[in-house]
Amino acid sequence: GAGVSQSPSNKVTEKGKDVELRCDPISGHTALYWYRQSLGQGLEFLIYFQGNSAPDKSGLPSDRFSAERTGGSVSTLTIQRTQQEDSAVYLCASSSDRIGNTIYFGEGSWLTVV
Amino acid sequence: KQEVTQIPAALSVPEGENLVLNCSFTDSAIYNLQWFRQDPGKGLTSLLLIQSSQREQTSGRLNASLDKSSGRSTLYIAASQPGDSATYLCAVRPWNNAGNMLTFGGGTRLMVKP
């Protein structure tokens, strides 16, 4: 696609429910990033995928968080048993080594846990 | 560990002023530096990317400079407009081009008053 696409754009869920957030990166981009941004805060690194290499999951805050990237393209971030502190905007980005590593972000998925 | 600082955290100027936003980083061994803007409730939009071998990049009214040895980058906005009001972030990629080690500054929140 023309840009990084994320869905849903907004999600309200009850505490304890599982949620899935989807990211469709720019076609051909080998690198995919997930960040979290809480209200008024900076960007918090969550996970990084690069090609077929093992992902860097060092930023995932707990074992309730997981992410996968199927076929080197679309990625899904899953949060199990959501808590109120998970409320934030989840931002996905992608980049390509072939064009200087410019990073392109999606519009984010706004998650509210009530 | 790389640390990125943006000063000031917030800035308010009248329309038409030329202004400078600052980004400093502690480890000069970088691959590139990228400037973004973020509008409220939106994702990040890439503005300019400067490779470590470059000293500046220009796009329209924006000019970004890089002084790697002193660990500084500046974003110059000429003839500011109310539409420039947003949060501006810089991000540094380390020398080994490791995307999972991108470091973002905390941002400068800019308001341009008509």
Side-chain angles (χ1 to χ4, degrees), chain A residues 79-110:
Chain A
I79 309 173
Q80 296 177 310
R81 305 181 303 281
T82 52
Q83 304 294 314
Q84 287 185 331
E85 60 263 28
D86 298 335
S87 297
V89 57
Y90 291 81
L91 292 164
C92 176
S94 70
S95 68
S96 166
D97 289 343
R98 291 172 295 183
I99 51 174
N101 298 114
T102 300
I103 302 164
Y104 298 92
F105 278 81
E107 290 295 308
S109 291
W110 289 82

Side-chain angles (χ1 to χ4, degrees), chain A residues 57-71:
Chain A
K57 304 179 181 181
S58 61
L60 295 178
S62 77
D63 59 7
R64 296 186 295 103
F65 288 72
S66 63
E68 63 178 19
R69 188 179 184 191
T70 54

Side-chain angles (χ1 to χ4, degrees), chain A residues 3-7 22-26 33-34 37 89-94 103-110, chain B residues 36-38 41-45:
Chain A
V4 178
S5 178
Q6 292 189 245
S7 61
R22 175 188 167 105
C23 173
D24 198 345
I26 293 173
Y33 317 70
W34 281 100
Q37 188 176 35
V89 57
Y90 291 81
L91 292 164
C92 176
S94 70
I103 302 164
Y104 298 92
F105 278 81
E107 290 295 308
S109 291
W110 289 82
Chain B
F36 299 87
R37 71 173 278 167
Q38 185 176 30
K42 301 289 187 181
L44 279 68
T45 300

Side-chain angles (χ1 to χ4, degrees), chain A residues 102, chain B residues 33-37 45-51 56-65 74-76 89 91:
Chain A
T102 300
Chain B
L33 184 147
Q34 191 167 352
W35 281 93
F36 299 87
R37 71 173 278 167
T45 300
S46 177
L47 296 174
L48 290 164
L49 174 77
I50 310 178
Q51 302 294 348
E56 67 177 341
Q57 284 286 329
T58 298
S59 175
R61 293 183 295 108
L62 305 180
N63 175 277
S65 67
T74 61
L75 180 67
Y76 175 82
L89 297 102

Side-chain angles (χ1 to χ4, degrees), chain B residues 2-6 23-26 90-92 103-106:
Chain B
Q2 178 74 275
E3 293 182 1
V4 180
T5 304
Q6 293 188 244
C23 171
S24 61
F25 44 95
T26 54
C90 64
V92 173
T103 306
F104 284 83

Side-chain angles (χ1 to χ4, degrees), chain A residues 11-17 19 82-87 111-114:
Chain A
K11 175 74 175 179
V12 179
T13 190
E14 291 181 353
K15 178 181 173 181
K17 300 278 190 182
V19 296
T82 52
Q83 304 294 314
Q84 287 185 331
E85 60 263 28
D86 298 335
S87 297
L111 175 66
T112 303
V113 182
V114 297

